[in-house]
Each structure stands twice: as structure tokens, then as C-alpha cells.
Amino acid sequence: MKKSRVLLSILGLLAAMACTKKDTKFLITENGIGALSPASDLNDLEAIFAQDSIVKDTLKGALGSGTNKIMVFEKGGAPLLQLTPNTDSIPGIDIVRVLDKRYATKKGISLNSTFKDIQNVYGIKKIVTTMSSVVIFPKSSTLYFTIDKEELPASLRYTNTSIEAVQIPDDAKIKYVMLGWD
């Protein structure tokens, strides 16, 4: 009788653990951010973000060009994501920019991370210098990270010359986490 109670207790515990589903709302993977994936159609956004608010930017450039960015806000107004649609015949998403610090990769990289964290977790494939930032492309990932030049030594802030990984301080904070889907 005692063994059967212990067995039932163990089975009950295992059943409870199996039913516990990990919350992935703020998980960044190579194939998605939360419930959003490369296969997500623009028409699916209302269903994917049913608990949130979606704002579509309809402002076009002077010649009618431009990208119609889509902003996703949490109920209450906190920005979550900025989506850049593709220009294909089937409307989808090309680029996702993370705006909320709760989003993190399986390896723990988020907007709270530093350049050293990226190096330690992914390694660096390439660094591209722009006017106001450096873009870090990690090895084996479709993610990329932007670090503001204000995080760099003064001698590197106003130059467009190539910046090497050794020149970026370990504690340089990530400004943007982005995911590109082709």
C-alpha cells in the first residue's frame, strides 16, 4: 500500500512537470521571436499579438518609397518589437528589431548584454562600421547586434574606418538586437 502511494505521488509529479510549458513569449531563436517566425504572414500579426497593440507606419518617402515599419506595443504602451515587412508578393517580415529588454536568446543574450557577452557566447564573424554605430555579426547566427559608437573610445567615435573586435570595450552595451530573415 505504501509503495503504491509513493508510485502515485511520483507519477503525479511527473505528470505535473510534463504539463508545465515553458513561457517562450520573450524567447529569441534563429527561427523566431516569441510566436513570430519567418513563415509569419503580415495578415497573421493581429492573431500572433492578440494581447498587444500593433501600429503600422503608413508614412511614405517623398517619392512614394519607404518601408512601412510595424511597431508592436505591449498593452499599456511599452514598445516590444519593430518589424520591417518584405517587398515580396507574399507579405512577410524581413527584419525584426527587439525593443524590450525581456527578450533574450536561449544563450541569454539580450539588450542587457555587453560586447563581451556576445563574444563569449557566439564569437564574432564580422564587424561593420557605420556613421553612428558598429554592427556585430556573430558566427553561425542570423542575429546581429548594434553598439552605439558612444560606447567606444573617443578616438573611434567619429571615424568610418574599420573597427576591430579588440577595439570595442568588453562592457560596451548593446543598443539593438536584430534578426534578419531572408
Side-chain angles (χ1 to χ4, degrees):
M1 186 71 137
K2 190 175 185 181
K3 286 183 181 181
S4 63
R5 278 192 217 160
V6 171
L7 185 58
L8 285 174
S9 295
I10 292 172
L11 288 174
L13 181 61
L14 290 173
M17 288 172 47
C19 292
T20 304
K21 186 176 179 184
K22 187 176 178 184
D23 182 16
T24 58
K25 179 176 181 174
F26 295 105
L27 180 63
I28 302 170
T29 67
E30 295 299 318
N31 296 315
I33 295 184
L36 192 65
S37 76
S40 298
D41 189 296
L42 290 182
N43 298 322
D44 298 334
L45 293 180
E46 294 291 335
I48 293 170
F49 297 106
Q51 302 300 313
D52 304 305
S53 298
I54 298 172
V55 177
K56 295 180 181 179
D57 176 14
T58 57
L59 183 63
K60 294 263 186 176
L63 299 175
S65 64
T67 57
N68 292 327
K69 304 266 187 221
I70 299 168
M71 298 290 294
V72 180
F73 293 91
E74 192 171 42
K75 294 288 186 204
L80 295 173
L81 302 169
Q82 179 183 37
L83 312 175
T84 303
N86 63 26
T87 55
D88 295 344
S89 58
I90 299 172
I93 298 163
D94 265 350
I95 300 170
V96 180
R97 185 172 104 184
V98 176
L99 303 172
D100 189 294
K101 292 181 179 191
R102 292 175 289 179
Y103 284 96
T105 67
K106 286 181 180 179
K107 297 179 179 184
I109 302 297
S110 71
L111 289 173
N112 293 320
S113 301
T114 63
F115 178 67
K116 183 177 183 172
D117 297 330
I118 298 169
Q119 279 188 304
N120 289 344
V121 170
Y122 291 104
I124 306 300
K125 178 172 60 176
K126 180 169 83 170
I127 298 174
V128 175
T129 306
T130 70
M131 290 293 280
S132 61
S133 61
V134 289
V135 182
I136 313 299
F137 294 90
K139 293 179 181 176
S140 305
S141 180
T142 56
L143 288 168
Y144 53 101
F145 308 92
T146 302
I147 295 175
D148 195 304
K149 279 191 174 178
E150 292 298 316
E151 297 285 329
L152 303 180
S155 61
L156 298 173
R157 291 182 189 160
Y158 307 105
T159 181
N160 279 339
T161 59
S162 293
I163 294 174
E164 301 294 323
V166 296
Q167 296 174 293
I168 301 172
D170 285 345
D171 63 348
K173 296 176 185 139
I174 297 173
K175 183 175 183 179
Y176 300 126
V177 175
M178 302 181 76
L179 182 59
W181 291 320
D182 294 345

